Amino acid sequence: MSQLHLVDHPLITHKLSIMRNKKTGSKDFRELLNEIAMLMGYEITRDLPLEDVTIETPITKMKAKMLSGRKLALVPILRAGLGMVDGILNLVPVAKVGHIGLYRDPETHKPVEYYCKFPTDIEERMVILLDPMLATGGSAVDALTLIKRRGCKNIKFMCLVAAPEGVKAVMEAHPDVDIYTAALDERLNEHDYIVPGLGDAGDRIFGTL
Ligand code: PRP
Ligand code: URA
């Protein structure tokens, strides 16, 4: 069964509160999103495997531990997930990046796929799916299905704000995928927006309000 990890370090919670404020503009919103992604990236990469490597310090030879093999692929869901990529690349600059384009149909609120491109060796990597908002869960569920179809086995999902409805949907459809979120909010409203949430993440990042 998958687990929900609430990554509510005070620095993260503080930055998220600034993002939630409707007076915060796109520039600050983008910067804060990347900062939080980096801080959460520290937690989500906690179990990356290490291997012994022999090195020489100025004093002596030693067996040091370094990250092993092909490691990480990041997959942002377009558009809003793009806002989390650079933060994690600051931590793991050699990670490869795939993209999944999905938008929620304004009438049905169901995700519609418009783009999908993955690194060729993605199935050998731990995959972190990125999207700041987990609302109904439709987008995350479909994106995870696309990633699994490519043969990926080790997948985690990182978001910023989750609604209980979305958490339930992802856990039911993908019980092998752990969810990392900075906040678990109250509910969805009649338009399937998260309450209290932070509004439309894509619009706030790209200034398309
Ligand atoms: C938002 C958000 C998620 C999705 C979450 O994207 O970034 O991808 O909605 O909603 P769900 O859990 O109900 O599927 P949106 O469709 O607004 O597209 P955008 O990022 O291009 O603005
Ligand atoms: N997508 C967003 O960007 N925000 C929400 O609250 C729900 C879906």
Side-chain angles (χ1 to χ4, degrees):
M1 189 64 197
S2 61
Q3 284 188 357
L4 177 68
H5 303 258
L6 191 58
V7 191
D8 56 356
H9 187 285
L11 285 174
I12 294 177
T13 305
H14 174 82
K15 288 173 193 292
L16 175 57
S17 297
I18 301 173
M19 292 179 73
R20 288 183 189 273
N21 189 329
K22 67 179 183 185
K23 291 183 184 155
T24 300
S26 288
K27 176 180 174 291
D28 289 341
F29 192 92
R30 272 197 300 271
E31 285 174 7
L32 289 160
L33 180 56
N34 267 315
E35 285 170 22
I36 294 178
M38 185 169 79
L39 293 167
M40 291 181 73
Y42 190 74
E43 189 58 32
I44 205 168
T45 53
R46 177 176 285 282
D47 55 5
L48 278 177
L50 293 168
E51 65 185 9
D52 286 335
V53 178
T54 304
I55 60 162
E56 223 171 324
T57 76
I59 310 297
T60 184
K61 275 192 176 175
M62 71 170 285
K63 263 192 199 146
K65 296 210 178 286
M66 297 192 72
L67 290 171
S68 63
R70 293 202 172 128
K71 300 148 206 140
L72 205 57
L74 309 178
V75 179
I77 301 180
L78 308 180
R79 295 173 298 165
L82 285 175
M84 304 170 86
V85 173
D86 286 347
I88 304 182
L89 286 178
N90 282 337
L91 287 181
V92 192
V94 295
K96 292 206 171 167
V97 182
H99 296 89
I100 294 175
L102 295 174
Y103 69 88
R104 291 204 315 180
D105 182 282
E107 304 280 309
T108 64
H109 306 159
K110 299 264 184 266
V112 181
E113 183 190 335
Y114 61 89
Y115 188 76
C116 185
K117 181 112 180 161
F118 294 135
T120 48
D121 59 355
I122 192 168
E123 70 284 355
E124 296 169 33
R125 294 171 178 264
M126 179 180 119
V127 178
I128 304 179
L129 177 67
L130 302 171
D131 193 327
M133 309 309 282
L134 177 59
T136 65
S139 304
V141 166
D142 283 8
L144 289 166
T145 301
L146 289 169
I147 292 168
K148 285 185 181 173
R149 263 190 220 145
R150 277 295 301 268
C152 300
K153 300 270 182 301
N154 185 7
I155 313 170
K156 299 181 182 197
F157 175 55
M158 185 198 286
C159 59
L160 197 63
V161 182
E165 294 88 335
V167 171
K168 184 166 178 282
V170 171
M171 283 185 155
E172 280 176 7
H174 298 287
D176 53 329
V177 175
D178 278 9
I179 303 170
Y180 291 72
T181 186
L184 182 60
D185 275 12
E186 280 166 31
R187 62 184 170 87
L188 299 176
N189 69 12
E190 63 276 23
H191 305 293
D192 284 342
Y193 273 79
I194 300 174
V195 180
L198 47 71
D200 188 303
D203 284 344
R204 294 198 65 191
I205 293 169
F206 296 108
T208 46
L209 278 171

